[in-house]
Amino acid sequence: MMDTRQVIEEYLSSDDFRLALSPPESEPLRQYYFIGLLRRWVHTREEALGRSLYACTNTFGCQMNARDSEKMEGVLTAAGFVPTEKEEEVDLIIYNTCTVRENANTRVYGRLGYLNSLKKKHPDLLIALCGCMMQEAHVVEKIRKSYRFVDIVFGTHNVHKFAELIWERISGGCMVVDIWDRADRIVEDLPASRKYFFKSGVNISFGCNNFCSYCIVPYVRGRERSRAPEDILAEVRRLASDGVVEIMLLGQNVNSYGKDLAEPMSFAELLRRVSEVEGIERIRFMTSHPKDLSQELIDAMAALPKVCRHLHLPVQSGSSRILEKMNRRYTKEQYLDLVHRLKAAVPDISLTTDIIVGFPGETEEDFLETMDVVRQVCYDSCYTFIYSKRTGTPAASMPDQVPEDVIKDRFDRLLALVGECSAKRTAMHLGETVPVLVEEVNDHDSHMVTGRMDNNLLVHFPAGSRLIGQIVPVRLTECRGFYYIGELVLEK
Ligand code: SAH
Ligand code: SF4
Ligand code: F3S
């Protein structure tokens, strides 16, 4: 199978590139062309400076952003930049932003002040801002006005144009702003780097059609678009042949995958096909909207051994009244029924969730319904969020915004209960021998490694770094709250 990097190298050494007078119109060739121009530019700069050119990516938000960042890093590496985490000594810095809650926004503005001081010290530094925040007109307005030192601003729909945008900035000399209000297509076959050599995210759909009333994502990520199954499978096969053993299929709502395709395909069917790829040993996916979770998917999870026994199933609230206001389109009873069916089909399934506290109009009774769901489901872990008002969403103009002190009190009570459930669930595996994917050398003790169980729990155990990327049997000897200490079981 052809590797994207190989395809780029072949193009860049061809006459098509060397003799080209203008960029090709079609993608991804057009971006390969700009990667080629950047590579020459990077090389000239390196000669002049007597050192490499460094680039640093800062990623906020969810797995979608993380994957987009890997794509940008893939382009930068192909262009000859060296990735680094040290912001102080970089030549190009990217902030891939999130706007799902106000605090994600505030953090970026906070960092911009620092970037300004950095640029004063290094005037050649290129600063790029992208991601979900940039899809909001008021944000871009503010950057144009008050943050003139920023070099490149682009959004979520044109990440594939990254090479071209950098070129535009270095050849044009002034701030480049390119925001699309929708995506016209999905550009395939661009390079992507990976944080871990043995696991990778794979986009299966982009955008969201659900318009939960509190959520900004559909506005900044656009309508739902599924990738063609052939493209997904080709990427998974390429990753497998490159040493990847675990993949995470990514979409805002993977359960509605494929409904928009010319030849519709269910998510369960996609899972079956991905499961057939040799070399892939573990499959995860995120996120599942409860309203679209089919019995077919439950059955597929039970039947396919490579699919991890873990499901992230955001409930958001346990009150049917609030769920309706949130436009989630399921009730407390329907959610609990789903959980019962999941537990019946996959007895050891680990369930995790997202909960919002303080949605407008949430009463004590509503909150107690949420506590009741947490108690009944007994989640392995739970991401709890304080409701954050997002301008432009229906919930932002709903009456009865809940006072801060009430939210704080509810949040603390929820956190205590969630902690109890997680501790109970985590402790259940003590003494078991389980398959663990070894991810890295332990942060605190270099004689230990850290790995992940199928249900997403971490295990630390004595072993060497040569096991990184392998799935090995580990006996769980000690439970320390939310993780385990274990020992490698040597196979006879
Ligand atoms: N598509 C995914 C999640 C996307 S955002 C899903 O539907 O599950 C991740 C989480 O952020 C959401 O599940 C929700 O719990 C939280 N969230 C989204 N908007 C929020 C807001 N305005 N305030 C607080 N939390 C929010
Ligand atoms: Fe937001 Fe709802 Fe879409 Fe998730 S499903 S991204 S919470 S609108
Ligand atoms: Fe944030 Fe965008 Fe993800 S708003 S949560 S980075 S889709």
Side-chain angles (χ1 to χ4, degrees):
M1 196 167 313
M2 271 295 236
D3 188 294
T4 311
R5 282 163 296 190
Q6 232 173 305
V7 178
I8 294 180
E9 293 314 321
E10 271 176 30
Y11 170 71
L12 294 182
S13 56
S14 71
D15 282 347
D16 280 353
F17 173 65
R18 277 185 286 137
L19 306 176
L21 296 174
S22 59
E25 287 295 322
S26 69
E27 297 291 10
L29 214 56
R30 185 177 173 85
Q31 298 313 313
Y32 298 173
Y33 171 87
F34 286 107
I35 288 173
L37 296 188
L38 282 175
R39 190 181 286 186
R40 286 182 192 155
W41 178 82
V42 167
H43 190 68
T44 315
R45 295 279 302 150
E46 281 175 344
E47 303 248 288
L49 295 167
R51 61 164 177 86
S52 301
L53 289 199
Y54 295 98
C56 170
T57 318
N58 283 285
T59 312
F60 298 82
C62 65
Q63 305 272 354
M64 299 290 160
N65 262 17
R67 189 65 186 144
D68 283 348
S69 287
E70 289 183 344
K71 291 176 185 169
M72 291 185 275
E73 282 163 2
V75 166
L76 290 174
T77 312
F81 282 93
V82 178
T84 176
E85 286 177 7
K86 293 189 196 120
E87 290 189 350
E88 297 71 32
E89 51 190 51
V90 291
D91 302 282
L92 192 157
I93 195 161
I94 308 161
Y95 272 64
N96 190 4
T97 63
C98 169
T99 185
V100 78
R101 287 170 289 276
E102 187 62 31
N103 57 1
N105 252 275
T106 318
R107 275 170 65 202
V108 170
Y109 284 123
R111 299 295 289 175
L112 279 173
Y114 162 74
L115 286 185
N116 193 14
S117 65
L118 212 57
K119 189 145 181 169
K120 283 193 177 125
K121 272 189 257 163
H122 311 283
D124 288 336
L125 171 67
L126 291 170
I127 300 172
L129 299 181
C130 62
C132 296
M133 251 175 98
M134 302 306 131
Q135 291 296 140
E136 296 182 283
H138 65 94
V139 172
V140 175
E141 205 44 46
K142 189 162 165 177
I143 290 163
R144 276 189 204 271
K145 250 215 233 82
S146 315
Y147 299 90
R148 294 295 310 161
F149 57 90
V150 172
D151 296 284
I152 306 167
V153 179
F154 59 105
T156 56
H157 300 308
N158 53 350
V159 173
H160 66 271
K161 263 188 81 179
F162 188 41
E164 183 170 349
L165 295 170
I166 305 177
W167 183 255
E168 215 178 294
R169 171 65 185 86
I170 57 187
S171 56
C174 56
M175 188 196 258
V176 172
V177 179
D178 192 7
I179 310 289
W180 297 6
D181 56 10
R182 53 193 293 274
D184 54 353
R185 75 205 120 154
I186 299 172
V187 178
E188 296 287 343
D189 297 326
L190 280 166
S193 66
R194 286 200 303 281
K195 195 167 167 212
Y196 300 97
F197 71 86
F198 51 85
K199 67 173 183 175
S200 177
V202 174
N203 296 108
I204 66 164
S205 63
F206 301 90
C208 181
N209 286 351
N210 289 312
F211 290 94
C212 302
S213 64
Y214 49 82
C215 184
I216 193 96
V217 171
Y219 304 88
V220 296
R221 286 269 170 186
R223 293 298 65 71
E224 187 173 293
R225 297 155 324 267
S226 299
R227 260 179 98 188
E230 319 69 273
D231 291 334
I232 297 170
L233 287 165
E235 182 175 350
V236 173
R237 284 190 207 107
R238 202 157 54 218
L239 290 167
S241 65
D242 203 23
V244 167
V245 293
E246 177 178 304
I247 55 161
M248 164 90 88
L249 303 174
L250 300 172
Q252 292 299 347
N253 177 14
V254 293
N255 297 335
S256 56
Y257 170 79
K259 292 186 179 158
D260 57 328
L261 292 170
E263 284 176 50
M265 175 186 281
S266 69
F267 178 57
E269 179 57 24
L270 180 73
L271 263 189
R272 277 192 282 273
R273 304 247 183 122
V274 170
S275 252
E276 285 162 8
V277 177
E278 220 171 294
I280 297 297
E281 296 183 50
R282 276 182 176 181
I283 304 168
R284 301 182 186 277
F285 50 87
M286 261 212 350
T287 298
S288 282
H289 195 307
K291 80 173 163 62
D292 297 308
L293 199 147
S294 64
Q295 187 60 43
E296 189 197 4
L297 178 64
I298 299 178
D299 296 340
M301 285 189 80
L304 300 170
K306 290 181 180 179
V307 175
C308 289
R309 267 85 194 114
H310 168 224
L311 184 69
H312 186 62
L313 193 63
V315 65
Q316 312 299 359
S317 167
S319 152
S320 297
R321 196 181 74 83
I322 293 293
L323 285 169
E324 194 181 342
K325 287 185 166 201
M326 286 178 161
N327 192 29
R328 291 289 287 179
R329 286 172 278 169
Y330 54 84
T331 60
K332 176 187 183 188
E333 290 68 33
Q334 284 166 331
Y335 183 90
L336 288 174
D337 171 61
L338 202 52
V339 168
H340 288 139
R341 283 189 284 133
L342 278 159
K343 286 185 175 175
V346 190
D348 52 350
I349 194 164
S350 140
L351 293 170
T352 57
T353 202
D354 291 349
I355 294 175
I356 298 177
V357 179
F359 182 83
E362 184 190 74
T363 62
E364 177 64 18
E365 288 70 45
D366 294 318
F367 174 69
L368 291 177
E369 299 273 14
T370 301
M371 295 283 274
D372 184 46
V373 168
V374 172
R375 213 170 280 120
Q376 287 199 45
V377 179
C378 200
Y379 293 104
D380 285 58
S381 73
C382 183
Y383 297 88
T384 46
F385 305 107
I386 288 179
Y387 167 72
S388 170
K389 195 169 169 172
R390 308 315 290 134
T391 311
T393 61
S397 50
M398 285 183 187
D400 305 326
Q401 302 274 334
V402 184
E404 238 171 77
D405 55 331
V406 175
I407 294 184
K408 176 84 178 59
D409 171 64
R410 287 179 193 162
F411 191 79
D412 290 345
R413 281 148 67 203
L414 177 63
L415 225 53
L417 178 61
V418 161
E420 260 174 53
C421 295
S422 307
K424 210 189 295 170
R425 289 281 309 170
T426 307
M428 280 177 27
H429 305 282
L430 190 67
E432 289 176 14
T433 297
V434 295
V436 168
L437 172 56
V438 183
E439 297 198 337
E440 56 204 0
V441 172
N442 189 283
D443 280 345
H444 306 290
D445 180 349
S446 61
H447 299 101
M448 309 265 280
V449 291
T450 299
R452 205 173 282 274
M453 292 158 59
D454 163 293
N455 62 10
N456 226 15
L457 282 178
L458 292 180
V459 195
H460 309 284
F461 61 98
S465 60
R466 68 181 172 82
L467 287 187
I468 293 176
Q470 291 185 37
I471 297 180
V472 294
V474 174
R475 185 163 28 248
L476 306 173
T477 52
E478 190 188 333
C479 178
R480 293 211 187 142
F482 304 107
Y483 63 90
Y484 274 100
I485 301 293
E487 61 192 24
L488 188 63
V489 177
L490 297 170
E491 284 164 275
K492 285 168 217 136

